[in-house]
Amino acid sequence: MGSGEKSLRSFHLHLPHLHHHHGKKQARDVPKGCLAIKVGSEGEEQQRFVVPVIYFNHPLFMQLLKEAEEEYGFDQKGTITIPCHVEEFRNVRGLIDREKSLDHQHHIGCFRV
């Protein structure tokens, strides 16, 4: 096991209490099983994304969370902010989505008769 893997395993995410939203509109447009995050580097306008909570277990997303921890610490208030370029985040999201899609197709294929 490399030291990079070990540090990711020891990463703990503190999620704010999910029932306390600053705006009711925001709470309504986040489907069950998802979480709203903000993404954007310094000097770039932050954009809001709604991602499935299963992303939080993916190694690529965990690396983004690690960068957020290094940038902002554990005590972020409100929405989790990821300090990377929006386009970079879209690329990571695409990779995760493609991987999840392939996993899903593989599992379906395993059960075909």
Side-chain angles (χ1 to χ4, degrees), residues 24-101:
K24 289 185 179 182
K25 181 183 181 295
Q26 281 190 343
R28 264 189 248 121
D29 68 358
V30 178
K32 186 175 182 175
C34 294
L35 195 62
I37 62 169
K38 289 182 198 169
V39 177
S41 290
E42 190 174 327
E44 176 182 42
E45 185 178 342
Q46 291 183 343
Q47 293 188 24
R48 184 173 179 267
F49 291 87
V50 176
V51 296
V53 293
I54 59 169
Y55 274 33
F56 287 77
N57 290 325
H58 193 282
L60 290 173
F61 199 83
M62 288 175 75
Q63 184 57 43
L64 293 175
L65 292 172
K66 184 93 174 120
E67 291 171 21
E69 174 203 349
E70 290 167 2
E71 179 83 17
Y72 305 115
F74 282 118
D75 295 325
Q76 287 192 50
K77 301 293 182 211
T79 306
I80 293 171
T81 302
I82 305 290
C84 78
H85 292 288
V86 171
E87 279 307 310
E88 179 185 339
F89 177 76
R90 285 192 174 114
N91 291 336
V92 169
R93 184 178 64 174
L95 290 169
I96 295 171
D97 286 344
R98 276 193 294 281
E99 189 177 297
K100 297 290 181 202
S101 176

Side-chain angles (χ1 to χ4, degrees), residues 4-16:
E5 273 184 50
K6 187 171 184 170
S7 68
L8 286 178
R9 288 184 181 193
S10 65
F11 178 77
H12 297 286
L13 176 65
H14 170 72
L15 293 176

